[in-house]
Amino acid sequence: MIVALCLVMAFADPRFFRLQNLMIILQDASIFMVLAMGMTLVITGRGIDLSVGSVAALSAVIMAMLIKDAGVNVFLGMAVAILVGITCGLVNGFVVTKLRVPDLIATLSTDLVFRGFALVLAAGVVLSRFPDPLTWIGRGRIFETIPIAAVIGVIVIAVGFVLYRYTPLGRYAVAIGGNTEAAVLTGIDVHRHKIYQYMLLGGLAGLAGILLTGRLNAIQATAGMGLTLHTIAAVVVGGTSLFGGRGSMTGTLVGVLLLSMVVNALVMLRLDFFWQQVAAGLIIISSVAFYAALQDPGRGGLSGLFRRARGGRS
Amino acid sequence: MNQPSPSVRSDAPLLEMHSISKHFGGVMAVADVSLHLNAGEALAIVGDNGAGKSTLIKVLTGVHELDEGEIRMEGRPVSITNKRQSRQIGIEAVYQDLGLVDSLDAAGNVFLGHELKHRFLGLTFLDNARMATEAARVLKEQVGIELEDIHVATHHLSGGQRQAVAIARAIYATDLKILVMDEPTAALGAEETRNTLMLMQNLKQQGIALIVISHNLDHVFRIADRIMVMRSGRAVATLDRSTATKQDVLAHIVDAVETEAA
Ligand SMILES: Nc1ncnc2c1ncn2[C@@H]1O[C@H](COP(=O)(O)OP(=O)(O)O)[C@@H](O)[C@H]1O
Ligand SMILES: [Mg+2]
């Protein structure tokens, strides 16, 4: 799919391939890399988190107020942002497991709660002009080329890859998402591990809030509204099953890059902003529907689709 | 030194079920059934549909709680109120739906919840390589099956291979003493059925006891030491394989036993 998109763009506009533009794509993708890593684990565990955008905003607003209004050290402020994110994740995990509210409803509601807190705290103010370390992380470049945020994003995904394959956190996400009853029977503490998954994603949403603030050198309570859907779309486009039990970190990286390229291409083609929105939405729906169809267990997955396609032609 | 409790006998069978009853509403699914089982022994339970076979073993595996009766392991009374308790005392069931995590490979399933780990840079990681070798070893030496590719997701394995993985997990993870199998060969092809029957012989030789529900009397006579016939929730006969014939068993199943006098 990436190949197809590249071919189309090569004809449509050669500027797409300039180093400059590729770095902009990476820069845009970095926040989604961070969020999508945690989201991959949560979705693999047959969960979903619709609150990540608000968690990012709340973490960022609290950090910004500490730094700007309370004169707190910028590094301490960033640490607090991540802690706020982890706490929000803990809340999500608690609501999902101990209160037994389905993931979708739970995080849809906490999304409102976290956003509400951010709005109350910021009281309509845009906080801007932050110390160097923060903007360096958000918009800095190594050798004036490679975005630092993208380096962070790739490192996060790499860590996610290790977590997924080589730690109980990832293994149990697969088990819980794939066969919850089997997981319970073998003695896996399902609640505890679901809470861990949400906490990890929360902490990453805090990090995303830092990147967001640093990139814009400004933050307001309404920031990050579109992050959640875009993140979920990237994860699913990357091949992680919405039905749980099957995920892929490398796929997620590909999904993030693909979606960022699509958005970038739409901008390059100078589509009117509103049409960009429409196109982005449609692409997300069609990719997700495409993969959902492929992953439908009853249809035998990807090979099943090929078999059907071959059968249809012969 | 603990004084042995008077109710515990050292020569007790591995498993005893005494006067077990279980009803669902007005239906007496299992009525006053008793059985015993020794290590390395295979007991077959046969009977018509609805005779209460599945309900009886579900009481043992913690799916249903018994209404009346007593279960003893090695002479000690045990209470089994859920599946985990049953597993913890060494009883494992392999159902048609095998409780595997489809997207994990054989090793991932065999070691689920008991993963082997190693330390690296002060952190703990799953030791996937060692789990793969160990799983392959258990599958080969104890279950008697060799997978072409140990790393393939169990979702891609055949029914018999999946069953083998489930059994390997039972052997490895839970100090398996009793394996309960409800229609283990029903969904399998000829070759796989042969493998499964061989596998059951293997387990017996390792001292693992089997309780097998089956409609196939050929299979029953090949692996069972004793055959318990159930009808309408009751155990109507327990026959010794060495002395009974298939006709005897069938007669008990359909309630057409001729009296001694006839
Ligand atoms: N969960 C249940 N709820 C109500 N009735 C049940 C349940 N399970 C089994 N029964 C009834 O108990 C009886 C014995 O069923 P079962 O143990 O499944 O027999 P078998 O396995 O020998 O075919 C049947 O009459 C069946 O309808
Ligand atoms: Mg049955």
Side-chain angles (χ1 to χ4, degrees):
Chain A
M1 220 166 159
I2 285 192
V3 177
L5 183 76
C6 288
L7 284 176
V8 170
M9 281 314 291
F11 284 111
D13 194 333
R15 281 176 307 163
F16 185 77
F17 286 106
R18 283 196 191 145
L19 190 63
Q20 176 84 4
N21 189 49
L22 293 179
M23 289 303 146
I24 288 173
I25 293 174
L26 273 183
Q27 174 88 57
D28 287 339
S30 57
I31 287 179
F32 296 109
M33 292 180 196
V34 168
L35 289 171
M37 185 275 250
M39 191 67 85
T40 301
L41 276 176
V42 166
I43 292 180
T44 300
R46 209 185 289 177
I48 192 126
D49 188 345
L50 300 179
S51 73
V52 288
S54 298
V55 175
L58 178 60
S59 310
V61 163
I62 291 176
M63 169 187 71
M65 291 178 73
L66 286 176
I67 294 172
K68 296 296 288 187
D69 300 346
V72 168
N73 174 286
V74 59
F75 293 105
L76 186 60
M78 291 194 261
V80 170
I82 290 175
L83 279 180
V84 169
I86 292 174
T87 311
C88 293
L90 178 64
V91 170
N92 281 332
F94 180 83
V95 174
V96 166
T97 57
K98 304 297 176 193
L99 303 185
R100 280 184 272 162
V101 180
D103 305 64
L104 201 76
I105 307 294
T107 56
L108 197 57
S109 313
T110 56
D111 180 62
L112 297 174
V113 173
F114 298 146
R115 181 70 67 184
F117 275 127
L119 289 165
V120 170
L121 283 174
V125 176
V126 179
L127 294 129
S128 58
R129 300 227 181 83
F130 292 96
D132 285 346
L134 191 49
T135 51
W136 184 78
I137 287 176
R139 49 162 74 160
R141 300 262 175 123
I142 297 172
F143 308 130
E144 313 209 324
T145 318
I146 304 162
I148 286 155
V151 174
I152 294 175
V154 170
I155 291 173
V156 166
I157 297 250
V159 169
F161 183 82
V162 172
L163 285 177
Y164 188 92
R165 293 187 76 149
Y166 299 103
T167 70
L169 188 76
R171 182 62 49 89
Y172 294 167
V174 174
I176 292 166
N179 190 338
T180 311
E181 203 196 355
V184 173
L185 270 179
T186 50
I188 294 169
D189 189 336
V190 170
H191 282 186
R192 176 196 295 250
H193 277 91
K194 286 210 81 156
I195 291 173
Y196 285 166
Q197 292 157 21
Y198 278 105
M199 285 171 73
L200 176 71
L201 177 52
L204 291 170
L207 177 57
I210 296 171
L211 295 177
L212 195 62
T213 311
R215 179 159 89 210
L216 307 171
N217 200 7
I219 192 71
Q220 62 192 65
T222 51
M225 288 277 198
L227 291 184
T228 306
L229 180 63
H230 190 113
T231 302
I232 293 170
V235 169
V236 177
V237 167
T240 294
S241 168
L242 271 177
F243 304 109
R246 211 152 11 111
S248 163
M249 281 296 166
T250 39
T252 289
L253 179 61
V254 172
V256 167
L257 291 176
L258 184 69
L259 280 199
S260 293
M261 286 165 87
V262 168
V263 171
N264 179 272
L266 294 177
V267 176
M268 299 268 324
L269 296 174
R270 288 206 206 80
L271 247 68
D272 182 82
F273 178 75
F274 300 109
W275 285 114
Q276 279 175 36
Q277 299 271 298
V278 172
L282 288 180
I283 288 168
I284 290 172
I285 287 179
S286 49
S287 326
V288 174
F290 177 69
Y291 277 91
L294 289 191
Q295 291 177 352
D296 189 339
R299 302 191 204 173
L302 197 60
S303 52
L305 185 92
F306 287 145
R307 233 177 294 127
R308 263 173 291 141
R310 267 205 306 273
R313 245 177 268 135
S314 62
Chain B
M1 282 266 142
N2 279 336
Q3 270 217 304
S5 125
S7 63
V8 177
R9 308 181 311 270
S10 56
D11 59 341
L14 177 60
L15 170 76
E16 297 163 89
M17 297 177 84
H18 286 298
S19 306
I20 305 292
S21 294
K22 174 75 196 172
H23 62 86
F24 299 104
V27 180
M28 208 62 184
V30 173
D32 195 26
V33 172
S34 299
L35 64 83
H36 66 91
L37 188 67
N38 292 309
E41 193 185 24
L43 175 72
I45 305 180
V46 299
D48 229 340
N49 279 331
K53 308 179 295 291
S54 297
T55 306
L56 179 66
I57 64 159
K58 282 179 180 167
V59 165
L60 188 61
T61 54
V63 179
H64 298 315
E65 237 182 294
L66 50 78
D67 295 330
E68 276 167 64
E70 190 192 38
I71 302 175
R72 285 168 178 252
M73 282 289 280
E74 288 157 340
R76 229 172 291 270
V78 291
S79 111
I80 301 175
T81 54
N82 62 48
K83 291 190 194 175
R84 269 197 81 184
Q85 276 178 341
S86 170
R87 265 196 182 184
Q88 273 160 2
I89 57 176
I91 301 170
E92 180 96 14
V94 174
Y95 295 109
Q96 224 87 86
D97 153 34
L98 297 161
L100 297 181
V101 178
D102 279 346
S103 48
L104 290 179
D105 60 11
N109 274 292
V110 168
F111 287 94
L112 191 62
H114 310 264
E115 286 79 5
L116 303 178
K117 294 170 189 148
H118 60 162
R119 291 184 72 76
F120 181 66
L121 301 173
L123 299 168
T124 306
F125 295 100
L126 301 179
D127 194 342
N128 290 331
R130 199 151 62 88
M131 285 194 275
T133 359
E134 272 292 285
R137 189 187 62 75
V138 173
L139 279 168
K140 185 165 181 238
E141 291 174 11
Q142 283 174 280
V143 187
I145 215 170
E146 237 172 312
L147 297 181
E148 241 169 75
D149 179 1
I150 190 81
H151 296 291
V152 74
T154 52
H155 155 76
H156 295 295
L157 299 179
S158 72
Q161 291 171 324
R162 288 165 55 78
Q163 199 165 55
V165 172
I167 291 166
R169 178 181 63 195
I171 294 173
Y172 201 94
T174 57
D175 182 23
L176 181 67
K177 295 189 176 118
I178 301 173
L179 184 69
V180 177
M181 306 174 95
D182 196 343
E183 296 288 354
T185 53
L188 303 182
E191 164 101 36
E192 299 240 280
T193 298
R194 243 193 328 277
N195 284 340
T196 296
L197 292 175
M198 238 159 62
L199 174 166
M200 294 202 262
Q201 292 293 1
N202 259 346
L203 294 176
K204 281 173 68 179
Q205 270 154 29
Q206 294 167 54
I208 292 165
L210 304 175
I211 299 180
V212 183
I213 295 180
S214 179
H215 281 115
N216 188 318
L217 289 187
D218 285 333
H219 298 168
V220 164
F221 271 81
R222 279 175 59 184
I223 50 112
D225 299 296
R226 283 178 297 123
I227 301 154
M228 184 170 100
V229 184
M230 287 188 73
R231 200 167 61 229
S232 314
R234 298 189 171 272
V236 291
T238 300
L239 309 170
D240 209 293
R241 194 232 347 227
S242 52
T243 53
T245 65
K246 281 178 202 160
Q247 281 67 35
D248 298 338
V249 175
L250 268 174
H252 281 289
I253 291 175
V254 300
D255 191 14
V257 185
E258 291 165 35
T259 56
E260 300 267 318

